[in-house]
Amino acid sequence: MFTLIYSMAVVARGTEGNIGQLATAMVIVLTIISICVFLYVVEHVSKELRPVTVMAEVAEEAIEVIRAVYPKTLEESSGLESQLDESPLGVPSLVVLHVGTSGVVQALDIPTLAEIATHAACTIEVVPQVGDFVASDDPVFRLYGDSSGISPKQLLRHIALERERTLEQDPAFAFRIIVDIASKALSPAINDPTTAVLALDQIHNLLRDVGMRRLDTGLVHDSTGQLRVVFRTPDWEDFVRLAVTEIRQFGGNSTQVVRRMRAMLENLIPILPPYRASVLRQELDLLKFTIDRGFAMLQDRERADLPDSQGLGGRKQR
């Protein structure tokens, strides 16, 4: 646009001689620069929109979210994760319903909810977890104990609902995004199992990180040890099922997909605690069953049942 305006100005002024030649040269140079910038932008945007780039960026952000939502590693904590149902809360004294436009829970202000509960000497249970859809009149909070000093509006200010999920406090959504990319790549219309293998690379990294963290941070106590806030987060089984199930189902007849998935599961089993590894062994059994059903020829089944970190062409791990 600048080049066009400048050219019109030069013509309008009727410049001649050296000034006209200089202006023409400048127009040519600026045109070349504009073309180069345009080609650079197109190339940069095309690279940024590649599935592998998107998945890598999502995984990087997911690692930060995982470490924020689950700050303690297994080495920093003692014992297994406590279960929410080990301490029944009884009958709620107040149930707060959602009022207004429906939406997906994007974030919870847990520290402020804990302060409110501590000040009122009660326990607040957050019914939906981050990522859940909440419709009008759905229960959002249940209060136990003396809730007379707490107004529903006060609580509803500390839960964020929007039209769609985000990664802000929702590490499972990162798995969902990457799995969806892999699922689309495995559709008959696209048939791109290599992208699914690249997705498993990122999922492998995420499972390794979340598998080494304590996942029961849904219980908040005050300084005296009283339970003040209960909220739900995905557990280890939730992450594993989300990460593996659909890719196994859609890619069950792709040699490189099942080989990469076996390599991932067999790599994680020895480095995670036994109670975490048991879920992975169940997934290995399901993978074996899927392979047996997906490949008619014995040679194909034997080839598909080998772990391979690249899917096809990588170094065999057995």
Side-chain angles (χ1 to χ4, degrees):
M1 180 62 70
F2 173 79
T3 303
L4 179 61
I5 294 174
Y6 186 82
S7 301
M8 294 175 64
V10 170
V11 173
R13 287 164 51 191
T15 56
E16 298 177 353
N18 293 335
I19 297 178
Q21 293 176 359
L22 178 61
T24 302
M26 291 181 62
V27 168
I28 294 173
V29 171
L30 290 173
T31 300
I32 294 174
I33 293 175
S34 299
I35 293 173
C36 292
V37 171
F38 174 76
L39 293 176
Y40 171 80
V41 170
V42 170
E43 181 186 14
H44 179 73
V45 170
S46 64
K47 287 182 178 179
E48 289 297 313
L49 292 178
R50 292 173 59 199
V52 62
T53 303
V54 173
M55 291 187 294
E57 291 178 352
V58 169
E60 289 177 4
E61 186 174 352
I63 291 292
E64 298 179 2
V65 176
I66 288 170
R67 294 175 181 178
V69 176
Y70 306 110
K72 289 186 178 181
T73 64
L74 294 176
E75 295 179 352
E76 297 170 343
S77 58
S78 59
L80 304 179
E81 286 93 345
S82 59
Q83 301 298 320
L84 295 180
D85 58 2
E86 289 182 359
S87 302
L89 297 173
V91 179
S93 57
L94 176 65
V95 177
V96 178
L97 305 180
H98 173 59
V99 179
T101 306
S102 59
V104 176
V105 179
Q106 284 192 344
L108 300 170
D109 186 0
I110 298 299
T112 302
L113 291 174
E115 291 179 4
I116 293 172
T118 301
H119 181 74
C122 69
T123 300
I124 299 175
E125 177 189 8
V126 185
V127 178
Q129 73 177 38
V130 174
D132 284 355
F133 179 82
V134 177
S136 182
D137 294 331
D138 277 349
V140 179
F141 299 101
R142 297 191 186 103
L143 277 64
Y144 302 86
D146 184 9
S147 58
S148 57
I150 301 177
S151 68
K153 290 183 178 180
Q154 180 185 12
L155 294 178
L156 291 172
R157 286 198 297 266
H158 302 291
I159 180 171
L161 271 68
E162 295 295 340
R163 292 182 178 179
E164 58 183 356
R165 296 170 70 176
T166 66
L167 290 175
E168 183 177 353
Q169 292 183 9
D170 191 0
F173 188 47
F175 284 83
R176 180 73 271 163
I177 293 172
I178 297 174
V179 169
D180 282 350
I181 293 173
S183 299
K184 289 181 177 67
L186 292 170
S187 67
I190 299 177
N191 196 23
D192 179 16
T194 300
T195 294
V197 169
L198 296 174
L200 286 169
D201 290 343
Q202 301 299 333
I203 289 171
H204 189 170
N205 186 39
L206 294 179
L207 282 178
R208 183 188 294 113
D209 193 81
V210 77
M212 299 303 296
R213 296 192 168 273
R214 183 162 178 162
L215 305 180
D216 67 335
T217 54
L219 303 174
V220 179
H221 299 80
D222 62 16
S223 58
T224 65
Q226 295 294 317
L227 181 62
R228 293 308 179 196
V229 179
V230 176
F231 66 101
R232 292 164 179 80
T233 57
D235 60 18
W236 172 241
E237 185 173 331
D238 293 330
F239 283 113
V240 173
R241 304 295 189 229
L242 176 58
V244 173
T245 302
E246 291 181 342
I247 297 179
R248 173 178 55 79
Q249 291 172 343
F250 298 141
N253 58 355
S254 170
T255 302
Q256 62 173 314
V257 171
V258 295
R259 284 162 67 106
R260 179 63 184 92
M261 184 172 291
R262 176 173 286 279
M264 176 184 72
L265 295 172
E266 291 187 354
N267 173 265
L268 292 172
I269 286 174
I271 66 176
L272 296 179
Y275 63 93
R276 291 267 169 90
S278 61
V279 179
L280 301 175
R281 290 193 180 91
Q282 294 173 15
E283 292 299 328
L284 270 179
D285 293 339
L286 288 172
L287 180 62
K288 172 64 175 173
F289 183 75
T290 301
I291 291 171
D292 290 342
R293 293 193 60 182
F295 296 88
M297 296 180 60
L298 175 61
Q299 294 86 344
D300 286 338
R301 287 199 300 271
E302 291 176 346
R303 185 175 301 172
D305 202 26
L306 294 173
D308 189 331
S309 58
Q310 294 183 21
L312 276 174
R315 183 174 61 85
K316 310 301 181 295
Q317 299 183 6
R318 62 157 83 155

